[in-house]
Amino acid sequence: MKRAARFGPALFTVLALFASACSKSSPGASTSPSPSVSPTPEVSIGQCETKQGTQPPTAPKGVDFKTQLKEPGVLNVGSDNDFPPFEEIKPGAKTPDGFDVDLYTEVAKRLGLTAKSTTTNFDALFTSSLPTGKFDVGVSAVTIKESRKQTVDFTVPYFKSDLSLAINTVKTPNIKTVDDLVGLVVAVQKGTTGEACAQYLKSKGKVKDVKSFGNTGPAIEDLLAGRVAAVINDRPATQGYIDRGAPTLKVIQIIKTQEQYGFAVSKEKPDLRKAIDDQLTAIMRDGTYATIYKKWFGTPPPFAVPIQ
Ligand code: ARG
């Protein structure tokens, strides 16, 4: 289902007004904060941190990567296309756009392929879609995570991220930090690092319950409607929703998780994974990455690329 169908009409009115009121230099970027605005506070919660880990991906078989494609000449990409500014299908559009989309389109081009995106459930990427060969790759702001390496391989990292705690400034203005969530319900997207972090907080009695949604859009919508107290989600994506016109949505705390995103690739396609690695590294080295980053985030990358 497309995001347009899930968000209520009221939000879309707001989105439309917002879009017409703002003329932005980049399609996904927030306007840079004015110097007088104090930076968003940060917290570290050990169990919420997601380090890349050490398990190496499956070794290449030494065959032409093209023999590992699902369809000749096509890079079949599975994405949960509801995660601005990484991938989203804008109202009225048929195909997704976003930072990830530009990146995998460039990778495909350099490999002599055409990228084809299919919308899929995020958590199904690891449990079924990639292991069964439904897609060649999963590109969906996927955090490289040790547990996911049981079923998929990852490319080199291409993005650094943290989680964030977001509130509704009208309905839940008194929440200032994760410590204010005791007795409250938090919304997350199912199968994500945000969900794992929220579940950890619940196990410690720091939140009452975790409401998991199949996509991030409905989790944010629940917060905007006042049905939950907060959302825990990747910071740049929550910012993506704010930028698309949710004036009561606010990131109040950054949960430092040091996540790194990678393309997830079927373990049956190790030569394809290696070919993508080479192109991603070249794209990061030759400045193309910085151009794509600036287009969507409005600034040069705030981390060194290639990512260490
Ligand atoms: N980075 C987080 C994770 O890997 C969330 C990604 C969600 N992506 C999406 N397109 N909905 O768990």
Side-chain angles (χ1 to χ4, degrees):
M1 203 196 323
K2 287 180 190 163
R3 195 175 137 231
R6 287 194 308 268
F7 263 104
L11 179 60
F12 268 92
T13 309
V14 175
L15 279 170
L17 287 172
F18 186 83
S20 60
C22 301
S23 59
K24 289 190 185 167
S25 56
S26 57
S30 53
T31 40
S32 29
S34 79
S36 60
V37 175
S38 52
T40 310
E42 296 181 353
V43 63
S44 287
I45 304 171
Q47 282 75 0
C48 293
E49 279 179 22
T50 315
K51 299 252 171 66
Q52 182 181 356
T54 51
Q55 187 188 326
T58 312
K61 295 176 181 163
V63 299
D64 181 351
F65 74 85
K66 292 194 172 146
T67 63
Q68 293 172 343
L69 293 168
K70 189 187 169 198
E71 265 178 86
V74 178
L75 184 68
N76 268 284
V77 183
S79 305
D80 168 14
N81 284 309
D82 182 14
F83 214 60
F86 295 95
E87 48 267 322
E88 69 167 332
I89 298 176
K90 296 215 173 79
K94 288 202 170 58
T95 51
D97 68 3
F99 175 83
D100 282 354
V101 180
D102 282 358
L103 201 56
Y104 67 65
T105 301
E106 181 66 22
V107 168
K109 192 175 103 192
R110 292 185 185 205
L111 292 175
L113 307 172
T114 307
K116 182 164 111 191
S117 165
T118 304
T119 299
T120 183
N121 272 352
F122 181 74
D123 53 344
L125 276 176
F126 318 107
T127 54
S128 58
S129 316
L130 289 169
T132 60
K134 191 168 172 198
F135 309 114
D136 298 311
V137 287
V139 188
S140 215
V142 178
T143 300
I144 299 171
K145 213 179 156 185
E146 204 57 31
S147 57
R148 293 174 180 164
K149 291 182 182 174
Q150 307 302 317
T151 54
V152 296
D153 286 338
F154 283 101
T155 62
V156 291
Y158 71 88
F159 198 89
K160 280 179 135 173
S161 185
D162 288 304
L163 290 176
S164 66
L165 178 68
I167 55 148
N168 180 324
T169 54
V170 173
K171 312 244 184 192
T172 52
N174 295 330
I175 301 170
K176 304 279 181 237
T177 76
V178 286
D179 294 326
D180 300 326
L181 298 173
V182 177
L184 300 174
V185 179
V186 170
V188 295
Q189 180 179 0
K190 193 164 178 286
T192 61
T193 50
E195 182 187 52
C197 185
Q199 287 293 358
Y200 170 73
L201 293 173
K202 184 181 169 188
S203 76
K204 293 285 159 200
K206 287 175 170 268
V207 308
K208 187 167 102 194
D209 215 348
V210 179
K211 205 167 163 187
S212 295
F213 292 84
N215 308 83
T216 294
I220 302 267
E221 197 179 349
D222 226 42
L223 175 61
L224 295 179
R227 290 189 288 265
V228 291
V231 165
I232 296 181
N233 182 46
D234 297 35
R235 187 203 186 184
T238 298
Q239 186 63 45
Y241 281 101
I242 295 170
D243 294 341
R244 268 143 196 71
T248 58
L249 183 63
K250 184 171 184 202
V251 169
I252 49 145
Q253 199 172 33
I254 297 162
I255 305 170
K256 292 292 289 177
T257 50
Q258 304 181 56
E259 314 190 15
Q260 299 189 341
Y261 299 167
F263 290 15
V265 189
S266 159
K267 284 186 176 291
E268 302 301 314
K269 303 172 191 263
D271 300 83
L272 176 63
R273 195 264 311 147
K274 170 80 174 63
I276 295 173
D277 267 356
D278 292 346
Q279 296 311 325
L280 276 175
T281 304
I283 286 166
M284 288 193 264
R285 287 222 170 100
D286 71 13
T288 309
Y289 180 94
T291 305
I292 298 174
Y293 189 99
K294 182 125 201 287
K295 172 178 168 190
W296 293 99
F297 296 98
T299 64
F303 39 78
V305 284
I307 288 166
Q308 309 307 316

